[in-house]
Amino acid sequence: MQKFRPVIFLIFVSLLLSTIGHIVFLKQWSNEHFMVGINDGLSQMMPFKHLLYQQYTQGEFFYSFDFGLGAGTFSELSYYFSTSIVFLVTVIIVSMLQTLHIIQTTDVLFWANAAVFISVIRLAAILFITTRLFMYMNISKSAALLGASLYGISGMYFRHVTYWEFFADAFLWLPILLLGVEKIFREQKPGWFITAVAISMIDNFYFAYINLLLTAIYIMFRLFIPLAVNEQSKMKSMISFLVAGSIGAGISAVSFIPAVYAYLNNHRPDFKQEILWVDETIDNILFNSSIIVLPAFFVLVLFSWFLYRDKTFRLFALLGIVAVIMHNSPMIGSAFNGFSAPQYRWEYFLSLVMGGAVAVAIDHLHKFTWRSFFIPALLAIFSFWFYTWKDEYFEIDSQFSTLSINALVITFTLLFLYTLFNKGFIKWTLMASILIWTLLFANLYQTEKILEEGDISQVSKELMTGVDYNDPEIIELLDYIHEQENNGPYRIDWMEGVRNNTPIVQDFQGFSAYSSILNKNLLYFYLYDLEIDMGRESVSRYATLGNRANLYSMLQGKYIIRSRGDSNIPYGFDEIHASSKYIIYENNYVLPFARSTANVYEEQQLATASPLMREQAMLTGVVLDRGEVADPLPEPDENILNFDPVPIGATFNDGVLNVVERTGGLNLNLENPPKSGGDLFVSFHLVTKAEDQGFLLEVNDYQTTRKSNQSIYKTFVDDLTIRIPAEDSIKIRLPKGEYELTEIQVYAASYQALRKQAAQPDLSSNLSIDGSRIRLDYENATNDDYLKLSIPYERGWQATINGQQVEVLKADFAFMAIPLEVGNNNISLSYRPPFFKPASAVSIISLLLGVVFVFHKRKKMKNY
């Protein structure tokens, strides 16, 4: 027990420092305010935790029909929490507490309440692990703890954990990776490195990329800065890293391969803006940067040339200098983000090497003299002055400036006194002042940068249980709908504002999803194949079905909830219930979940067809992409209408619309308007000529927003198809500005085919949907060729009919179909992540190889 006391004490101190670092958010929690971002935190982090916890505790690990239109959660949510080790440990602990009835519910509000406590424990673990890393590198315990505090108790940690919680897990794995590197260099022991690589790649493929890139940079410096006696040669070290890293990667295959497949099967438009090598504006990293702020002591020791004689300091200081240079390069930010839009998510590496440099310098404090102190102090003061001069937004009287200047004065005064008197209490006072600055800065950062500037102070229980997030009035309407249903799958079109994951929060199956990784087939279906307007242009999400009746019916869209006064109600929907602010409408023409057909069309046939013609093909047959002989396309169910374009408050010449009034545009006056009760569809290509201006587009009573050309969230999909109720004139309205408006076409829909299909009997029976397993019987009485299923197509689905495996086909651009047999078909479908079985085999074999390799190395070292 005696030998564990230092470890227990370090755990206690780490937990204490972590708690002090979270004082602001712990106080917020006591007032029912949460450590959760108001945007992605509420829209992604909390819903995904809620969804995955429900899945995992019910024994489902791979698929959910509650995520959008259905998705493989193991792979598509691997960027978030599906394979997060911190989250998996949390699930185990929470489920145990729930079993013991200590925790009663695990809804989204529960996860918001738990966020700060999970963060406290995570940060304590970061402090403990990083302290042990520095101690392993022969740094004293107190200095190592101080360096670890500079790493963990940093603005970037709190920024990450608040806005994108899973980002903060990367703080855990980087020091373990570096410990693995040191173990190979110093002791030729690969076990830690294998483990660290495997953990990183299992936990999160995105941050594994960042952490392994950072580790490679560390190794490159380490090859030329040996820190221990009898380190093995560079060549042998590189071979060890290659072998151990490959084994670690192999162990992670069961998680990493499906995750990377999901990433590659995603769709996000290329980032088209120019990326500079050097940022033209300065980020004030000495006073008030939202990414990282360097303490005065670190700036001073960087100029203390005599410290570079120590190889450990030289390693950390040079890495720190390189990281500061990298911080000012958008191109480097892009490289760490997969060469997409520049993102500054890797700078925790700068915090780590900064902490290492400070820790080594503290251990060498006795080497400072007033002569060796004087010039570095002047250079450090000049650096602070330079940043105040270059930063045009610098405010001398801000709290950040006051804290930084006071820290500069106190640090330099104490260090100067230490050089004169060489008293131990002055050294401890200096260390305490650096630690106090770290804790004060962390809490000030939380207050100003996160709570105030980031609007996190608004995230409260009142918000999360109110009309802007989880409206009680909507919950009552949803309960009403659920009480009406007793058979068959159904979907509800409802979304709270712009929160696409509302269905997860409110526990219903809907039509919206928001995630950095989504099924590419569905995104293409929305953006290109069917041109479904979502009411808001943005990447990484889909929502609603643009009021298009055919699509609602084919995808079991049985109910919609709309605000009173909203006239954009799809064809075939009738009011069935209402509350004070909302109305429920029910679809009269819902089609079965499984439908058979003998009509086969090919995607190539429809390459130049309108989105409405593609709808017609999906409605009357099945659209495949196999290049086989196809049936003739069905008769169009819509009429192309002629119109006379009339500019209103604008000029319109050669496809260029110049709106000169505050709001103007085009009136499309129809020559032969349809009878009342039908629908009109207007298609056009629309691009704003403004360099950086988003805008509102109105088509009669329908509204949708378009992103600025400079927005990183712009889809660059500018072919639109808008549905509106039939009228004599179509009014396109835009704000003042110049636009390219071309390829205008107007269609009138009759819905004859929809009514005919809805009248057909449902020949399926015994339908059972249990997560990643689906069973049903289908009586193929008319000898049709294919069965269409309202399941998004993903690699990983397998199907059997009457016990025989059949091919799962991509159908209707984004969904599934299987070939049918004559008569009764007993159908079973199951989903496993792509390449799951071979990846599992690779993981098991790699794990065995890892054990053999570690023991072989250990035996070799003993004999040596």
Side-chain angles (χ1 to χ4, degrees), residues 388-402:
T388 64
W389 173 61
K390 289 292 290 182
D391 183 1
E392 60 180 306
Y393 302 105
F394 177 77
E395 297 177 0
I396 189 67
D397 57 346
S398 73
Q399 288 186 285
F400 280 104
S401 299
T402 301

Side-chain angles (χ1 to χ4, degrees), residues 743-807:
E743 303 172 25
I744 305 172
Q745 285 191 305
V746 178
Y747 306 88
S750 67
Y751 295 114
Q752 291 179 5
L754 174 59
R755 292 191 294 271
K756 181 179 178 181
Q757 289 294 322
Q760 301 299 315
D762 184 358
L763 301 178
S764 63
S765 59
N766 302 320
L767 174 63
S768 169
I769 300 177
D770 183 17
S772 55
R773 294 189 178 276
I774 299 171
R775 293 180 177 84
L776 73 151
D777 292 324
Y778 194 87
E779 184 62 38
N780 188 12
T782 55
N783 196 20
D784 287 335
D785 296 318
Y786 293 100
L787 184 70
K788 292 151 48 87
L789 299 157
S790 298
I791 305 172
Y793 177 81
E794 285 192 52
R795 186 167 187 165
W797 279 105
Q798 292 186 326
T800 61
I801 294 182
N802 299 328
Q804 299 297 314
Q805 187 163 338
V806 296
E807 184 179 4

Side-chain angles (χ1 to χ4, degrees), residues 623-849:
V623 181
L624 302 178
D625 65 346
R626 305 184 65 180
E628 296 180 352
V629 176
D631 296 319
L633 290 176
E635 289 295 320
D637 198 23
E638 74 278 349
N639 299 317
I640 298 177
L641 303 181
N642 296 322
F643 58 86
D644 179 28
V646 179
I648 303 295
T651 61
F652 184 57
N653 295 299
D654 296 326
V656 176
L657 178 68
N658 186 14
V659 179
V660 295
E661 296 184 2
R662 182 177 179 182
T663 300
L666 276 185
N667 279 6
L668 308 181
N669 296 326
L670 304 180
E671 294 183 5
N672 295 297
K675 296 179 181 179
S676 61
D679 278 352
L680 293 177
F681 291 82
V682 56
S683 296
F684 48 82
H685 178 86
L686 176 65
V687 178
T688 178
K689 297 294 186 73
E691 183 176 346
D692 188 11
Q693 176 184 324
F695 60 95
L696 173 69
L697 166 65
E698 296 179 274
V699 182
N700 289 15
D701 291 334
Y702 183 82
Q703 294 183 341
T704 185
T705 59
R706 307 295 294 169
K707 293 290 185 186
S708 156
N709 290 328
Q710 298 299 316
S711 173
I712 63 174
Y713 302 108
K714 184 171 177 59
T715 64
F716 294 98
V717 177
D718 300 311
D719 292 323
L720 308 178
T721 296
I722 308 293
R723 172 267 179 193
I724 57 172
E727 294 188 31
D728 294 345
S729 180
I730 298 173
K731 304 174 184 66
I732 300 174
R733 295 293 181 265
L734 295 159
K736 186 176 181 179
E738 190 174 16
Y739 306 85
E740 178 185 330
L741 180 60
T742 57
E743 303 172 25
I744 305 172
Q745 285 191 305
V746 178
Y747 306 88
S750 67
Y751 295 114
Q752 291 179 5
L754 174 59
R755 292 191 294 271
K756 181 179 178 181
Q757 289 294 322
Q760 301 299 315
D762 184 358
L763 301 178
S764 63
S765 59
N766 302 320
L767 174 63
S768 169
I769 300 177
D770 183 17
S772 55
R773 294 189 178 276
I774 299 171
R775 293 180 177 84
L776 73 151
D777 292 324
Y778 194 87
E779 184 62 38
N780 188 12
T782 55
N783 196 20
D784 287 335
D785 296 318
Y786 293 100
L787 184 70
K788 292 151 48 87
L789 299 157
S790 298
I791 305 172
Y793 177 81
E794 285 192 52
R795 186 167 187 165
W797 279 105
Q798 292 186 326
T800 61
I801 294 182
N802 299 328
Q804 299 297 314
Q805 187 163 338
V806 296
E807 184 179 4
V808 176
L809 305 171
K810 178 186 171 187
D812 294 346
F813 304 100
F815 297 92
M816 285 171 34
I818 54 176
L820 279 175
E821 296 180 0
V822 179
N824 186 60
N825 290 255
N826 181 263
I827 300 166
S828 177
L829 297 106
S830 63
Y831 175 85
R832 287 295 178 268
F835 310 107
F836 187 71
K837 289 184 179 179
S840 299
V842 171
S843 291
I844 293 170
I845 293 170
S846 298
L847 183 60
L848 295 174
L849 287 175

